[in-house]
Amino acid sequence: MIDELMKRKKLTPQEQIIVQYINEHPDCITHHNAKELAKLMYVSPPTIIRFVKKLGFKGYLEFQMTYIQEHMMFNQTKDRYIDEKSSIQDIIDILPDIYYHVFIETKKLTKKESFVRTVNYMLQAKQIDFYANDNNYAEVQSACLKLSTIGIRAQAFNAVNTAYLNAITPSETLALVVSHSGNNQTMVNAAYELRKKRIRVIGITGKLSPTLELICNESLYIDSYAHHLPFGIMLYGISIHYIIDVLYTSLSFKKKITYK
């Protein structure tokens, strides 16, 4: 994640020095605090703090902890990859490891309080609407089917329907908008229109771009990082699936569904 964020952000010359140093000394974050790192890089400690906040972290400690986790995960999985030389047996053996990596990355991004609030919103709503397009649309269609089995009304849209929005009661409706990048313009526009109608909006999104999450009332984060390529399309779905299943499982018990 951090590597992707550093590639996507527009950096100042001093911030570029920080990125270059990290790339040349990948263990430096593990061993040094912000003040020590600033001295090694010949920049000021406030420059380090501004840099990590630009990447979306609250402070250096959160950045350092995330970096250490990702660095460890990278070292554990760097030799477990699939390419054109991989045999069927290689794929059978390695794919579960890749899936596991996605689940762990997604779990690291979860905030329990956001899930608790979202589940409560879903229980209070009379209608739940999912917005997604492309491959994400199939995931939200599946979510609607699951929710229907526990008595929750849900439907999927791939764009805003103005006539529909004018006909519903905003206070009774909850919308979940999905974009793995966070800057899918159709989904950003959908979230904006929904908020204008005073409908509560939950984003299911990656952290590579804050565009969607800034519009939404709440955000649940998925693993959407390019280091999973060429399996990105497949793995985004797994991450979204995980988020939806956490919600569905919690709702199932709260609705007191008895499984046979």
Side-chain angles (χ1 to χ4, degrees):
M1 175 183 72
I2 291 175
D3 184 56
E4 279 302 302
L5 288 171
M6 291 192 297
K7 289 177 182 177
R8 287 172 176 259
K9 297 293 182 180
K10 186 176 181 180
L11 304 176
T12 66
Q14 282 190 311
E15 290 167 344
Q16 290 172 6
I17 291 172
I18 295 171
V19 172
Q20 183 179 348
Y21 189 91
I22 292 172
N23 288 334
E24 292 174 355
H25 306 85
D27 292 324
C28 65
I29 307 297
T30 304
H31 302 302
H32 299 288
N33 59 34
K35 186 176 181 180
E36 293 167 343
L37 206 59
K39 187 175 181 180
L40 290 169
M41 296 176 175
Y42 298 101
V43 298
S44 68
T47 300
I48 298 286
I49 302 304
R50 284 194 297 271
F51 170 71
V52 300
K53 287 186 175 180
K54 178 182 281 192
L55 298 184
F57 298 96
K58 294 178 181 178
Y60 181 79
L61 183 59
E62 184 184 17
F63 168 77
Q64 185 183 45
M65 291 175 65
T66 303
Y67 182 91
I68 290 170
Q69 290 175 334
E70 291 190 0
H71 193 51
M72 288 174 61
M73 183 69 74
F74 172 78
N75 287 332
Q76 291 168 2
T77 61
K78 63 183 178 182
D79 297 323
R80 304 286 285 171
Y81 62 91
I82 299 171
D83 59 21
E84 66 277 2
K85 297 178 182 178
S86 301
S87 66
I88 289 293
Q89 190 59 55
D90 290 334
I91 296 171
I92 291 170
D93 292 339
I94 296 173
L95 207 52
D97 292 342
I98 296 175
Y99 288 167
Y100 177 74
H101 189 182
V102 174
F103 289 133
I104 293 300
E105 289 289 313
T106 308
K107 182 181 176 182
K108 283 178 358 189
L109 294 166
T110 60
K111 295 181 179 179
K112 185 187 74 173
E113 295 79 8
S114 294
F115 276 92
V116 170
R117 286 191 291 267
T118 300
V119 168
N120 287 333
Y121 296 148
M122 294 177 84
L123 287 169
Q124 294 164 11
K126 292 185 178 180
Q127 174 67 43
I128 296 175
D129 296 335
F130 287 87
Y131 289 82
N133 56 19
D134 300 326
N135 292 281
N136 296 336
Y137 187 69
E139 293 297 331
V140 300
Q141 284 182 308
S142 174
C144 292
L145 288 173
K146 289 178 181 178
L147 291 173
S148 70
T149 67
I150 55 175
I152 294 178
R153 291 175 52 191
Q155 56 188 337
F157 298 91
N158 55 21
V160 166
N161 183 320
T162 304
Y164 169 75
L165 292 185
N166 289 334
I168 62 175
T169 303
S171 61
E172 297 178 350
T173 307
L174 177 69
L176 289 92
V177 180
V178 182
S179 169
H180 75 261
S181 67
N183 60 8
N184 179 298
Q185 197 57 53
T186 302
M187 292 301 103
V188 169
N189 291 343
Y192 181 70
E193 291 301 319
L194 292 162
R195 287 298 308 276
K196 279 173 57 178
K197 293 290 184 180
R198 299 187 180 279
I199 294 170
R200 181 177 278 119
V201 181
I202 310 297
I204 300 179
T205 182
K207 289 182 72 71
L208 295 180
S209 170
T211 307
L212 179 61
E213 67 174 294
L214 288 173
I215 301 172
C216 296
N217 299 95
E218 194 83 57
S219 291
L220 306 175
Y221 299 108
I222 64 170
D223 178 23
S224 60
Y225 314 132
H227 59 243
H228 292 311
L229 294 175
F231 314 106
I233 290 175
M234 179 174 69
L235 299 181
Y236 302 148
I238 291 173
S239 192
I240 294 168
H241 198 88
Y242 173 65
I243 294 295
I244 289 172
D245 277 358
V246 170
L247 297 172
Y248 171 75
T249 303
S250 180
L251 287 164
S252 296
F253 288 111
K254 288 183 178 295
K255 296 278 284 186
K256 297 182 180 178
I257 298 298
T258 302
Y259 296 96
K260 297 183 180 179

